[in-house]
Amino acid sequence: MMPDVERLRKVWALVERGGSAGECAAARERARVIAERYGYVLDDIPVLLAGGDVYKAREIRERQQREREARRREAEQASARKAALKAHRQAL
């Protein structure tokens, strides 16, 4: 079952181009409620409105998240190795 795309499109337009911060926040919450009623999340709305494959988009977002997490872990490990090497050099 699909949400009412035209209604969702109108609400999402307020999210993207709303007048005040409160109006945008209220529209975002309304869009979230509409989307969740059908098993979607806020990140799915632009894909839904574009007529794209939501499940494919989710896979891509999840893969990108895993890649970002892997890069973050690698950077932390490199920083730890650099700090350990610096401490070793200072000890000498």
Side-chain angles (χ1 to χ4, degrees):
M1 194 163 176
M2 289 289 294
D4 181 1
V5 176
E6 285 309 309
R7 183 174 181 201
L8 190 56
R9 189 179 310 280
K10 290 175 185 177
V11 172
W12 197 249
L14 287 173
V15 170
E16 292 178 332
R17 298 182 292 274
S20 67
E23 185 180 30
C24 290
R28 180 175 298 279
E29 178 62 20
R30 185 66 192 138
R32 185 191 62 76
V33 168
I34 293 170
E36 284 182 355
R37 188 177 304 147
Y38 297 95
Y40 298 111
V41 294
L42 280 176
D43 289 338
D44 295 335
I45 293 174
V47 178
L48 278 170
L49 297 178
D53 184 358
V54 173
Y55 301 105
K56 181 73 171 172
R58 283 181 184 176
E59 289 175 8
I60 292 169
R61 282 195 309 266
E62 289 170 0
R63 186 183 72 235
Q64 289 171 340
Q65 178 64 29
R66 285 191 305 270
E67 290 170 356
R68 279 192 299 270
E69 182 64 26
R71 284 194 302 271
R72 185 191 62 77
R73 279 193 310 270
E74 289 171 2
E76 285 178 356
Q77 290 171 352
S79 178
R81 283 191 303 268
K82 186 176 178 180
L85 182 60
K86 182 178 180 181
H88 177 70
R89 286 181 180 156
Q90 287 177 347
L92 293 177

